[in-house]
Amino acid sequence: MTPGSDVSRQSASAAVAAAQGLSIVVPLYNEAAGLALLHQRLVALATTLRQRYGLASEVVYVDDGSSDATLSIARGLAATALDVQVVSLSRNFGKEAALMAGLDHVRRGAVLFMDGDGQHPPDLVERLVGHWIDDGYDVVYTAKAHRDNESALRRLAVHGFYALINWGARQKIPEDAGDFRLLSPRAAAALKQLPERNRFFKGLATWIGFRQIRVDYEPAPRAHGVTTFNLMRLLGLSIEGVTSFSVAPLRFASLLGLMLAVGAFLFGLSILWETFTTGKSVPGYPSLVVGLMTIGGVQLIMIGIMGEYIGKILSELKARPIYFVAEHSETRATPETAAGNPERTAAE
């Protein structure tokens, strides 16, 4: 593997970039109730993009091991204004793996990632495409305009997460940025070349660089169902993101160890001073127990932090595939499609 990669050949004028088209990657997990409506909105979006920019589009639905009728509904979606790919994974591998599977199967130039729960409004996509084609940005990412509807504790936790993951980082991850973003052809090509298996999409999409712009928006209410990201899953995702993308916890552990060592040294000096000046010894049992408990707790925390990183190293060394595709089908939009006779091909 070369130490660097040249994606300059992907750089092109707006007209050439638009000619390569746009791929929309939508990971799905139990989204049967709203999938048909989402597809209708994407068809309308594809029609608008073709009329305004001459932009050909495709959508890649990645079924991440759904237990409802998501896959069967996705198979029957018509390719009236855009090509439709359906990639079914062999089990639930998680959203990060589903995003990677979609990225691996796209056949157009630029790539747009959006969720399948209806909270990412397709109407906003036209604005994202405008920043790419008209303004020349390579990465157009969205972020929540505000968190006024969330609790103070949650807002504090989110702020703390970004403060920790960006601590000492050369490339900062924008706060409140989500997975809803558009990548130009060369940005998508760069993202494809990142080899790690423990992926944190928000961090990687920022790390690749290029010209990036933020677009604030207000997420729409869920079209159906309830979110599966409870407090514990959000905490797990935060730990996964921090340990996969940042060494801040290790630096924090080193800093904490240094502070404890300095504190212990100063405490030792105070004991010596009191002994030499007053001739009295400091009572040993309480201070000894507190010191041992403090040092023992800190050591366990350090071991836990190191264990997270060692686990990541083990996962990378095993080099297991990020996902397996159980089924892959494609329906291409052709002139015959409007007459109800779509051309379908199947693979894998």
Side-chain angles (χ1 to χ4, degrees), residues 118 136 152 183 255 272 312 321:
L183 279 69
L255 181 61
L272 290 175
K312 295 292 186 299

Side-chain angles (χ1 to χ4, degrees), residues 90-144:
S90 61
R91 64 170 175 84
N92 179 252
F93 286 91
K95 185 178 180 181
E96 298 291 333
L99 290 172
M100 188 62 196
L103 182 62
D104 286 341
H105 286 81
V106 298
R107 298 183 180 176
R108 299 289 182 181
V111 182
L112 171 76
F113 298 92
M114 63 185 301
D115 289 349
D117 56 11
Q119 291 192 286
H120 294 165
D123 299 340
L124 185 61
V125 174
E126 188 175 352
R127 182 179 172 188
L128 306 186
V129 172
H131 282 302
W132 162 45
I133 294 180
D134 297 333
D135 302 330
Y137 286 96
D138 290 288
V139 178
V140 187
Y141 64 90
T142 63
K144 288 185 177 181

